[in-house]
Amino acid sequence: MGEDDERFDGMLLAMAQQMDGGIHELVNTFFSFLRRKTDFFTGGDPGAAEKLITERLKHHSRLAEQAQKEKRAKQDAELREKAERAAKLAEEKKKLEQTESRIKELTDEEAEKLQQELDKQRKKEEKKRDVSANGTGDSSNVKMDTTDSKQDNTESEGEEDEKDKGKLKPNSGNGADLPNYRWTQTLAEVDLIVPFQVGFRLKGKDVVVEIQRRHLKVGLKGHPPVIDGDMYNEIKVEESSWLIDDGKIVTVHLEKINKMEWWSRIVATDPEINTKKVNPENSKLSDLDGETRSMVEKMMYDQRQKSMGLPTSDEQKKQDILKKFMAQHPEMDFSKAKFS
């Protein structure tokens, strides 16, 4: 019979419930049965019955102590988990209170002035677009600036792939400085800084921030959003966040799902950056585990090889295999063969 065999539990429990003497009477009944109906005490060698009872007693005592320890350990773990959750909730509540304390409520007069500021800003932007569309302005200066910029890029960066021409050079944070916002990135996350040129402090209900798995929207209520579109790739919504900084800046933090790629832009309507010119910090690589670091270093090597018109590591392996095969089979003619 196994230790976990519960076939007789019902019968034994019924017996125990009928005994007024409790566990003592139940044990006495077992030994009385063995004495009267079996040769348990007299059928074996001297001391055999006592030895068997002592052995089984010690065995089940150890099992009972082990079960008790496991039960206490589980209870202690549950208590620690509850304490950690309570501490985390308290910390989040404290951060929320600190954030709310930095936000000042707008009066009706201030809200009206804010509206006027935004209207002026929108009219200026529309006027600039009209000027660009009509071709007015000093075009000679524009051409000269473009020429100088191209010359500088040629001298400092060398030749680029045809598909990379026209892409922006990454900023110091491996992102881009755009007219309406700035963004930076690492392999694991993306951070956006969206300033609003107003003379009054913003509050949470004035801001529209919608973070979805593949879509991002940031702006002020009642006005065209600064950002509104599908993102370059998917993000972890539950680990992303946003806040108002200094009453004028909205910062958005996005956690990437794919931590093995550089984004070339935030949303589809943004200009792209040249990800081949991204410069990750060595300290960031040192924080990665061995397997992930080797994959990142391989990716960076392949990017450098492509930028110089050289084969990637995978292409190099294929070439080495082909050369080895050709050397082993000199009788075969590969002069007209085409390989991809």
Side-chain angles (χ1 to χ4, degrees):
M1 184 177 66
E3 294 174 357
D4 295 328
D5 195 344
E6 301 176 355
R7 288 180 300 167
F8 305 110
D9 282 2
M11 181 177 62
L12 294 172
L13 182 60
M15 290 173 56
Q17 289 174 343
Q18 296 178 25
M19 296 180 180
D20 297 332
I23 191 67
H24 296 86
E25 187 176 351
L26 179 62
V27 173
N28 185 64
T29 301
F30 288 151
F31 285 119
S32 175
F33 170 78
L34 293 174
R35 174 178 57 80
R36 291 181 292 101
K37 300 297 182 180
T38 72
D39 61 349
F40 177 76
F41 293 103
T42 60
D45 296 334
E50 182 179 354
K51 181 179 179 181
L52 177 59
I53 293 172
T54 303
E55 179 185 320
R56 291 294 87 194
L57 176 65
K58 291 181 179 180
H59 173 70
H60 286 283
S61 293
R62 287 195 299 269
L63 293 179
E65 291 175 358
Q66 182 179 350
Q68 183 68 12
K69 288 181 180 179
E70 292 176 353
K71 181 179 179 181
R72 289 177 180 175
K74 184 178 180 181
Q75 291 175 344
D76 292 342
E78 290 177 351
L79 290 175
R80 285 195 301 271
E81 185 179 354
K82 288 181 180 179
E84 290 173 357
R85 284 202 302 266
K88 186 176 180 180
L89 290 173
E91 182 66 21
E92 291 177 353
K93 182 179 179 181
K94 182 178 179 181
K95 289 182 179 179
L96 180 61
E97 291 175 350
Q98 291 175 348
T99 302
E100 291 177 347
S101 66
R102 293 186 302 172
I103 301 175
K104 180 183 176 182
E105 294 288 334
L106 290 180
T107 63
D108 292 340
E109 182 180 354
E110 289 174 336
E112 184 178 354
K113 289 182 179 180
L114 171 61
Q115 181 69 43
Q116 293 175 356
E117 290 276 351
L118 293 172
D119 291 341
K120 289 180 181 179
Q121 183 179 352
R122 187 175 67 254
K123 288 180 181 179
K124 287 181 180 179
E125 292 176 355
E126 291 176 353
K127 186 175 181 181
K128 288 180 181 179
R129 286 197 295 268
D130 293 340
V131 170
S132 299
N134 294 330
T136 58
D138 192 348
S139 60
S140 62
N141 290 339
V142 174
K143 292 181 180 180
M144 182 63 70
D145 292 343
T146 304
T147 303
D148 292 342
S149 175
K150 289 182 178 180
Q151 290 176 350
D152 293 339
N153 290 337
T154 303
E155 293 174 358
S156 61
E157 301 167 12
E159 296 183 356
E160 298 180 351
D161 293 341
E162 192 69 28
K163 61 181 181 180
D164 291 330
K165 288 184 177 180
K167 293 183 179 180
L168 301 177
K169 181 180 178 181
N171 59 21
S172 59
N174 296 325
D177 297 327
L178 304 178
N180 295 326
Y181 72 94
R182 180 178 190 270
W183 65 277
T184 60
Q185 67 173 324
T186 66
L187 282 171
E189 57 193 23
V190 178
D191 289 293
L192 294 82
I193 299 176
V194 187
F196 292 96
Q197 302 298 326
V198 295
F200 305 95
R201 299 178 68 86
L202 298 174
K203 54 186 178 180
K205 66 180 182 180
D206 292 328
V207 180
V208 177
V209 180
E210 297 177 3
I211 302 176
Q212 301 177 13
R213 189 177 180 89
R214 194 65 188 266
H215 191 90
L216 177 65
K217 182 177 181 180
V218 181
L220 294 177
K221 287 185 180 179
H223 300 276
V226 177
I227 304 170
D228 188 10
D230 291 337
M231 290 183 285
Y232 180 84
N233 209 337
E234 296 180 342
I235 56 97
K236 297 180 181 179
V237 178
E238 65 277 5
E239 297 184 19
S240 301
S241 59
W242 67 274
L243 58 85
I244 298 176
D245 188 14
D246 199 27
K248 297 181 181 180
I249 300 173
V250 174
T251 61
V252 182
H253 175 79
L254 306 174
E255 194 75 18
K256 295 180 181 178
I257 290 181
N258 184 354
K259 301 182 183 297
M260 295 302 301
E261 69 175 352
W262 297 105
W263 287 17
S264 61
R265 56 190 172 191
I266 298 298
V267 293
T269 55
D270 287 345
E272 289 188 282
I273 65 169
N274 188 349
T275 55
K276 293 179 181 179
K277 296 182 179 180
V278 164
N279 293 313
E281 298 179 9
N282 293 330
S283 59
K284 297 293 184 181
L285 289 177
S286 64
D287 294 337
L288 302 175
D289 59 80
E291 182 180 359
T292 305
R293 178 174 179 174
S294 63
M295 294 176 66
V296 174
E297 290 176 341
K298 177 180 179 296
M299 181 179 67
M300 294 168 57
Y301 172 80
D302 290 344
Q303 287 182 346
R304 287 195 298 269
Q305 291 292 98
K306 285 183 179 181
S307 66
M308 295 185 291
L310 299 175
T312 63
S313 56
D314 292 335
E315 293 170 346
Q316 187 64 49
K317 286 181 181 178
K318 292 179 181 179
Q319 292 180 7
D320 292 341
I321 294 173
L322 176 60
K323 289 178 181 178
K324 185 177 180 180
F325 180 79
M326 293 172 66
Q328 293 174 347
H329 300 276
E331 72 280 1
M332 299 179 67
D333 182 14
F334 294 92
S335 60
K336 296 182 180 180
K338 294 182 178 181
F339 304 95
S340 57

